[in-house]
Amino acid sequence: MFSKLFSLRVGVISSSAFLLYHASDPLPCPSSHFFLNPFNNFFDNQSFSSKSLRDLIGSPNRDENNRKILLYSLIGANSFFYLASHNARLESLFNKHFCSSLFNISKGRIHTLLTNNFYHNTFLHIFANMYVLSSLMPAAFAICNRDPKEFLSFYIAGGVSGSLLSLTWRMITRSLSSSLGASASIYSLLFLVGLSAPEASLGIIFIPPELFNFNALRGLCAIFVFDLVGMLFFRRSGLDHAAHLGGALFGIGYYWYKSSDREKQRLKSSFNRHIVQGLSSNFPGSTNSF
């Protein structure tokens, strides 16, 4: 019981509880403000370190209704299925049609590649995913040209990509386990936004940014390595590391597809500064660059 609870807590922190927020000196938002809405000051502050992303986001009031309707619809759908799943008479239905597994796919239930992304079986799981979704939504929606169709397509495709990689890994490891939850979609959003603002800072859910923060690009690399190691060596951790990586890879690919050459060069420069040079400082013999 303890190991399962520990795995769940680690999963919440590592998979979906990292938030982007604006970092200036001094940090602009007090802890109580950050606890309620860590993004309130993120987009209005004119000293935001990633100018192109700030210009892309522009006024937070533009197309606000479309963004809110889409956000509340996603939260509503996830909440509905979460509540419905606690009806004992529907347990069999959710196991058949809302869980991604090799067994369900073998029975022709291809739709579970999508539907599992809207099903959570614990309150902590759905709360963490929906909280981070609401936090990442303003930036991700702007990156998707404030087009509800593009954003929803990206969100769904990120989740399906996670399901596909998860199933592929289960085939390789001959695992009969199943997976559920929106973490793959959240990962795709996190990596899309994080790569678009590599100089921003990451914080952890409910921890005030003035107490703990770290560079976004370093955070993304740490998350990616954590799930890669987890997928290869900790298959019984209770986390679907492969699904997380699938969502992350889709977010990376989508960023690379949409970004300009200038934005790609900026990302490469940030990678050299925060990752390559950081590793070089620990290993003086290494002088490679990206």
Side-chain angles (χ1 to χ4, degrees):
M1 176 66 181
F2 174 78
S3 62
K4 290 183 178 179
L5 181 59
F6 177 77
S7 296
L8 179 59
R9 287 179 177 175
V10 171
V12 169
I13 293 175
S14 66
S15 306
S16 60
F18 291 100
L19 303 174
L20 280 169
Y21 65 88
H22 168 61
S24 62
D25 188 16
L27 290 167
C29 50
S31 58
S32 60
H33 193 191
F34 178 77
F35 181 89
L36 294 174
N37 190 345
F39 268 98
N40 276 359
N41 292 336
F42 188 91
F43 305 107
D44 295 330
N45 196 305
Q46 293 303 303
S47 62
F48 180 52
S49 58
S50 178
K51 183 177 179 180
S52 61
L53 182 58
R54 181 197 67 196
D55 293 339
L56 174 63
I57 293 172
S59 171
N61 293 322
R62 181 182 176 187
D63 296 323
E64 187 75 1
N65 289 336
N66 287 337
R67 181 179 66 81
K68 286 185 176 181
I69 290 173
L70 185 56
L71 173 63
Y72 297 153
S73 297
L74 288 172
I75 294 177
N78 280 273
S79 300
F80 173 80
F81 290 124
Y82 166 74
L83 294 173
S85 68
H86 285 72
N87 186 327
R89 292 177 295 180
L90 299 177
E91 182 178 358
S92 176
L93 182 146
F94 276 92
N95 288 335
K96 290 181 179 179
H97 299 287
F98 287 85
C99 289
S100 174
S101 66
L102 291 175
F103 176 79
N104 279 336
I105 295 298
S106 69
K107 295 298 183 179
R109 300 167 190 148
I110 306 297
H111 55 277
T112 56
L113 293 172
L114 168 62
T115 56
N116 82 91
N117 293 283
F118 292 89
Y119 172 36
H120 302 78
N121 60 354
T122 66
F123 176 77
L124 187 58
H125 193 193
I126 187 174
F127 174 79
N129 278 339
M130 295 302 100
Y131 186 92
V132 179
L133 170 62
S134 64
S135 299
L136 295 172
M137 184 84 174
F141 189 68
I143 295 170
C144 292
N145 302 312
R146 295 187 172 86
D147 182 353
K149 293 180 180 180
E150 181 177 348
F151 177 87
L152 187 59
S153 297
F154 172 83
Y155 182 87
I156 291 175
V160 172
S161 296
S163 299
L164 288 172
L165 185 57
S166 176
L167 287 172
T168 301
W169 186 244
R170 287 198 191 97
M171 290 179 63
I172 295 174
T173 60
R174 298 181 180 181
S175 172
L176 299 178
S177 63
S178 59
S179 64
L180 51 89
S183 295
S185 296
I186 299 301
Y187 255 73
S188 64
L189 294 173
L190 179 61
F191 274 76
L192 176 65
V193 175
L195 293 177
S196 299
E199 296 298 331
S201 294
L202 283 175
I204 297 181
I205 190 171
F206 301 140
I207 297 181
E210 56 265 38
L211 296 182
F212 182 74
N213 65 86
F214 47 92
N215 172 261
L217 197 55
R218 289 181 178 179
L220 294 183
C221 289
I223 295 170
F224 194 93
V225 171
F226 172 85
D227 277 299
L228 182 61
V229 172
M231 183 184 75
L232 295 174
F233 302 108
F234 299 95
R235 301 174 188 173
R236 297 184 179 181
S237 65
L239 305 175
D240 193 345
H241 297 286
H244 297 167
L245 291 175
L249 289 172
F250 182 80
I252 294 171
Y254 197 78
Y255 165 80
W256 204 255
Y257 169 76
K258 286 186 68 71
S259 62
S260 65
D261 291 338
R262 181 180 179 182
E263 290 168 335
K264 292 175 183 175
Q265 187 59 45
R266 185 189 66 201
L267 178 61
K268 292 178 181 179
S269 299
S270 296
F271 187 86
N272 283 328
R273 180 166 56 256
H274 294 292
I275 308 301
V276 177
Q277 292 180 12
L279 293 175
S280 298
S281 63
N282 294 324
F283 304 95
S286 176
T287 58
N288 295 329
S289 62
F290 177 66

